[in-house]
């Protein structure tokens, strides 16, 4: 089920009413969350439920086994088995065909007639959100191993933690230490939180349905064509894709976080206005925060982090960025994207400048200085260069686009630049203004006028924009991860 | 929580009213515009009704006798509906009706939710506004069709249709749509025509599955117009040789034979321009002429109509 669908419009109020009707019965409430989440997830394909149920059950059992030996030293064997099983499932569904195809492409000539992609690949359907909930389950088993959290015996709470529908398919990737305890205690309805949640959802829908989806129409029309040799349109589309991926993903996160507030659940922040970053290091502190912190805590630091030799620091940084790239998809373009960002990040890290910008840009001022604008622009352009790799379906295609841009081939705005393209730029302007004003808040519409009438006018205005300019239902980009 | 529920319901209600108001305003504006557009100009006595093929291939400025009004849905029932509206609005000025029939219009399904709901919404709203023409039997039929389409997942299509996105102004070109001038090479949509395998499959020798309803409706249209003392003819507009070549041997001949037989049985002339050659630079895509092509085709069509005594 998509957030931006009519089914969800009916699903949410029904679940919400039932949820708060059961506020004095925690176990039943958690069971409702599990059932509702499985309905939400199974709406795409009921077969996906088998996998998430297995992942949840497996992680739950591992937790119980660790609980039995809680006073003793944590079991490395148990952790290893848990990691192998969870990552194995992810690997088979997401990466098997990729690695087989790559192997066959590279070495197939050694075994003529016996190796081919059609016979060796499995062609499995990738379950929606598998990367997200698998990582969430892993965070539990690793935190249990580290004794950061006590395993729970409550299966309903645990299954609710893994499958909580607002964040199930595209994050934020929650830590067990944050989310699981919330399902183990009674929740009270908070009016301010609920209103804030609704406002955050509205902003998320605006970003997704108006900005991202209209960008997608233009980007898909030109970049999917495969025939384009117009450098200016490539540049335009890469710019719009940069906006699209931010609005799509952060819009989803806003909807997920806002929706969770309606249920009295606090999720972690996932985006902190990354395009206002002054360098790449700050960008990565603001982009997909749940994933980057996950990799930092569960991969980077165990590898030694930054408290090791420079050679190991370089190795660790590359590992993190390459794995992060690969997490996004089974394609060499994602690996290249990760490597590109590693190359941008390393000079800052090695030079000790990766924590130069820790405060919000422009402080209390309404507007940035020219220098700050320059820094933001530079960071945005670097990120945009990375998104070119991210969007391409192959390295060859990415190379063609780069060639088109830098050889100034056919530089002209296409005459068939669709209506949506002309709609999207004013909306990007609106987004920029909203997010700049709220850059020190949790999301782009956190601050609001005190007068209720004006507030409601703004709400209606945003709803009207969504109604009039949403081009039609498009899935969220990050569902494919 | 009560305060939140009250505010939420209030907001939802006001939002619904706002959106409903916007939709109603859009629909009324569309209906008013449509009513203006169905009135033929002075001097026009031949109505050409079809889909975008006629809209692009005929230039009314060259032949003021033509009133070229097209419903771009590739569906015969929409063409019928539009023709009926024009004839009524013309109040006797229309003397002839030319129905464009191409292989693709015969295979487009007649019972898609969009088609029915749009028809239902328009027919219902127009008859509410023209209350004198209200026919109670039609009304019941319309309500039934509307209700049928609001079940299951079709209601999303129905909603869009009611909002007027699908058919009203956006695709009712009439003679006010500017004719395109680029050539097929400049038009990225060119290749799409070649991929119309559905058309190819349905024109396959010996089989026209799903199109019997289309032929029945076509016969009904012809009989209806003839009853109103209008001269009727059927015309097939030109297709690009590349598109023609993508069909298997015998398929298009089968289509032509079907049309000739059908027209003979229904006592209407058949003006077949399907294979009429045009230079490459006069095509905008595989089945539409551009402005230059229209300048050549329009007098051709007019001559054929006059020679047929229509």
């Amino acid at each position: 089920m998509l957030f931006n669908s009519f089914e969800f419009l009916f699903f949410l109020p029904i679940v919400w009413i039932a949820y708060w009707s059961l506020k004095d019965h925690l176990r039943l409430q958690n069971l409702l969350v599990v059932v509702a989440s499985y309905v939400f997830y199974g709406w795409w394909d009921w077969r996906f439920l088998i996998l998430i149920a297995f992942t949840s059950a497996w992680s739950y059992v591992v937790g119980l086994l660790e609980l039995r030996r809680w006073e003793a030293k944590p079991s490395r064997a148990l952790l290893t088995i848990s990691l192998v099983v969870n990552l194995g499932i992810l690997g088979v569904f997401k990466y098997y065909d990729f690695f087989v195809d790559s192997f066959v492409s590279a070495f197939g000539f050694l075994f003529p007639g016996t190796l081919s992609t059609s016979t060796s690949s499995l062609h499995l359907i990738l379950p929606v959100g598998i990367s997200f909930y698998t990582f969430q389950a892993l965070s539990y088993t690793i935190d249990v191993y580290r004794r950061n959290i006590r395993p729970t015996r409550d299966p309903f709470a645990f299954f609710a933690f893994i499958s909580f529908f607002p964040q199930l398919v595209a994050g934020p990737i929650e830590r067990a230490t944050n989310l699981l305890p919330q399902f183990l205690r009674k929740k009270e309805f908070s009016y301010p939180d609920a209103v804030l949640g609704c406002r955050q959802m509205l902003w998320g829908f605006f970003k997704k349905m108006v900005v991202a989806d209209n960008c997608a129409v233009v980007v898909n029309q030109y970049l999917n064509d495969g025939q384009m040799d117009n450098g200016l349109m490539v540049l335009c589309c890469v710019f719009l894709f940069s906006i699209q991926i931010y609005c799509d993903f952060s819009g989803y996160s806003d909807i997920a976080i806002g929706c969770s507030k309606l249920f009295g659940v606090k999720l972690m922040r996932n985006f902190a206005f990354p395009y206002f970053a002054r360098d790449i290091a700050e960008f990565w502190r603001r982009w997909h925060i749940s994933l980057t912190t996950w990799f930092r805590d569960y991969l980077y630091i165990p590898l030694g982090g930054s408290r090791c030799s420079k050679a190991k620091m370089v190795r660790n940084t590359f590992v993190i960025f390459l794995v992060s790239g690969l997490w996004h998809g089974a394609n060499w373009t994602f690996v290249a994207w990760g490597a590109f960002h590693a190359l941008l990040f390393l000079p800052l890290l090695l030079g000790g400048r990766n924590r130069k910008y820790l405060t919000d840009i422009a402080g209390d001022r309404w507007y940035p200085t020219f220098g700050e604008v320059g820094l933001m622009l530079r960071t945005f352009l670097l990120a945009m260069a990375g998104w070119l790799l991210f969007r391409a379906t192959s390295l060859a295609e990415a190379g063609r686009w780069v060639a088109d841009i830098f050889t100034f081939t056919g530089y002209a705005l296409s005459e068939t630049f669709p209506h949506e393209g002309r709609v999207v730029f004013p909306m990007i302007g609106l987004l920029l203004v909203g997010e700049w004003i709220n850059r020190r808040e949790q999301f782009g519409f956190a601050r609001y006028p005190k007068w209720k009438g004006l507030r409601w006018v703004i709400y209606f205005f945003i709803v009207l924009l969504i109604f009039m300019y949403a081009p039609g239902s498009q899935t969220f980009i990050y569902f494919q991860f | 929580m009560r305060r939140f529920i009250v505010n939420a319901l209030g907001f939802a209600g006001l939002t619904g009213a706002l959106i409903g108001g916007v939709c109603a305003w859009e629909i009324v504006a569309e209906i008013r515009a449509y009513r203006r557009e169905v009135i033929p100009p002075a001097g026009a006595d031949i109505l050409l009704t079809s889909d975008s093929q006629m809209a692009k291939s005929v230039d009314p400025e060259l032949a003021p006798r033509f009133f070229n009004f097209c419903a771009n849905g590739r569906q015969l029932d929409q063409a019928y509906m539009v023709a009926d509206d024009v004839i009524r609005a013309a109040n006797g000025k229309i003397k002839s009706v030319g129905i464009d029939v191409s292989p693709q219009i015969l295979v487009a399904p007649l019972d898609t939710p969009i088609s029915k709901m749009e028809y239902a919404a328009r027919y219902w709203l127009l008859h509410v506004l023209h209350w004198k023409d209200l026919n109670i039997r039609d009304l019941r039929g319309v309500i039934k069709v509307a209700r049928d389409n609001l079940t299951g997942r079709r209601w999303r299509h129905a909603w869009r249709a009611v909002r007027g996105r699908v058919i009203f102004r956006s695709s009712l070109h009439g003679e006010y749509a500017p004719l395109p001038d680029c050539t097929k090479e400049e038009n990225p949509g060119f290749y799409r025509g070649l991929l119309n395998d559905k058309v190819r499959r349905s024109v396959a020798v010996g089989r026209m599955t799903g199109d019997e309803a289309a032929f029945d409706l076509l016969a009904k249209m012809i009989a209806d117009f003839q009853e109103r003392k209008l001269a009727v003819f059927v015309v097939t507009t030109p297709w690009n040789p590349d598109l023609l070549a993508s069909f298997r041997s015998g398929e298009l001949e089968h289509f032509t034979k079907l049309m000739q037989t059908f027209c003979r049985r229904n006592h209407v002339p058949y003006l077949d321009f399907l294979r009429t050659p045009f230079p490459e630079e006069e095509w905008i895509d595989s089945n539409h002429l551009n402005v230059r092509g229209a300048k050549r085709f329009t007098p051709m069509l007019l001559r054929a109509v006059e020679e047929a005594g229509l």
Side-chain angles (χ1 to χ4, degrees), chain A residues 3 8 11-13 15-16 19-20 40 164-167 189 193-202 205 251-267, chain B residues 4:
Chain A
F3 282 154
F8 186 71
F11 172 85
L12 183 63
V15 173
W16 186 82
Y19 180 86
W20 287 112
F40 180 88
F164 186 45
F165 71 89
Q167 47 90 228
F189 179 79
D193 279 350
V195 170
L196 200 65
C198 288
R199 203 178 305 128
Q200 193 163 5
M201 287 179 74
L202 187 62
F205 280 119
Y252 186 96
S253 294
D254 279 334
I255 298 168
I257 295 167
C259 185
S260 304
K261 284 177 181 156
L262 289 174
F263 294 89
V265 174
K266 287 185 173 32
L267 299 182
Chain B
F4 178 78

Side-chain angles (χ1 to χ4, degrees), chain A residues 24-308:
Chain A
D24 294 323
H25 309 277
L26 183 61
R27 294 199 90 194
L28 283 176
Q29 196 182 52
N30 288 336
L31 178 61
L32 171 74
V33 168
V34 175
V35 169
S37 301
Y38 275 44
V39 166
F40 180 88
Y41 189 61
W43 204 264
W44 277 285
D45 191 331
W46 63 268
R47 292 170 295 179
F48 292 167
L49 295 174
I50 301 167
L51 211 53
I52 189 175
F54 174 78
T55 301
S56 305
W58 170 252
S59 304
Y60 174 71
V61 164
V62 166
L64 284 184
L65 291 172
E66 196 60 60
L67 185 62
R68 271 196 192 173
R69 38 176 298 117
W70 192 247
E71 306 304 328
K73 210 173 146 188
S75 167
R76 193 176 271 264
L78 208 52
L79 175 69
T80 307
I81 295 169
S82 168
L83 289 175
V84 165
V85 169
N86 277 324
L87 290 175
I89 293 171
L90 182 63
V92 164
F93 278 90
K94 195 166 175 178
Y95 300 107
Y96 179 85
D97 285 351
F98 167 64
F99 284 118
V100 162
D101 293 348
S102 300
F103 180 82
V104 167
S105 300
F107 302 110
F109 67 94
L110 293 173
F111 309 98
T114 52
L115 268 188
S116 76
T117 54
S118 58
T119 52
S120 311
S121 306
L122 293 178
H123 304 296
L124 294 169
I125 300 171
L126 181 64
V128 176
I130 187 172
S131 305
F132 292 90
Y133 68 71
T134 302
F135 271 43
Q136 195 151 306
L138 286 174
S139 87
Y140 173 74
T141 47
I142 297 172
D143 280 344
V144 161
Y145 172 82
R146 288 178 177 177
R147 300 296 191 255
N148 289 340
I149 187 171
R150 192 179 178 87
T152 180
R153 288 184 194 280
D154 186 345
F156 297 146
F158 184 79
F159 273 63
F161 151 68
I162 295 288
S163 65
F164 186 45
F165 71 89
Q167 47 90 228
L168 172 58
V169 290
I173 302 171
E174 276 295 332
R175 304 298 179 86
T177 47
N178 177 48
L179 187 56
L180 183 56
Q182 296 188 63
F183 287 108
L184 293 170
R185 61 171 180 260
K186 187 180 166 186
K187 290 170 276 296
E188 290 298 331
F189 179 79
S190 160
Y191 178 82
D193 279 350
V195 170
L196 200 65
C198 288
R199 203 178 305 128
Q200 193 163 5
M201 287 179 74
L202 187 62
W203 188 245
F205 280 119
F206 167 73
K207 283 202 290 191
K208 160 61 183 163
M209 295 174 76
V210 178
V211 185
D213 285 355
N214 278 297
C215 289
V217 170
V218 181
V219 169
N220 292 341
Q221 176 169 334
Y222 289 97
L223 293 187
N224 286 353
D225 188 282
Q227 306 280 337
M228 197 161 55
D229 56 1
N230 182 334
L232 181 60
M233 284 310 297
V234 173
L235 205 55
C236 192
C237 287
V238 174
F239 167 75
L240 288 176
F241 180 71
S242 309
I243 303 297
Q244 177 196 343
I245 194 166
Y246 167 66
C247 288
D248 195 286
F249 197 14
S250 68
Y252 186 96
S253 294
D254 279 334
I255 298 168
I257 295 167
C259 185
S260 304
K261 284 177 181 156
L262 289 174
F263 294 89
V265 174
K266 287 185 173 32
L267 299 182
M268 70 180 290
R269 193 179 187 189
N270 215 11
F271 289 86
F273 311 110
Y275 287 150
F276 295 153
R278 286 153 286 192
D279 62 20
I280 281 293
E282 187 184 9
F283 175 84
W284 279 105
R285 279 197 299 278
R286 293 170 175 271
W287 180 276
H288 202 175
I289 297 167
S290 63
L291 180 70
T292 53
T293 52
W294 197 101
F295 277 126
R296 181 198 64 198
D297 293 343
Y298 298 119
L299 192 57
Y300 186 68
I301 290 174
L303 284 174
S306 308
R307 297 179 187 191
C308 49

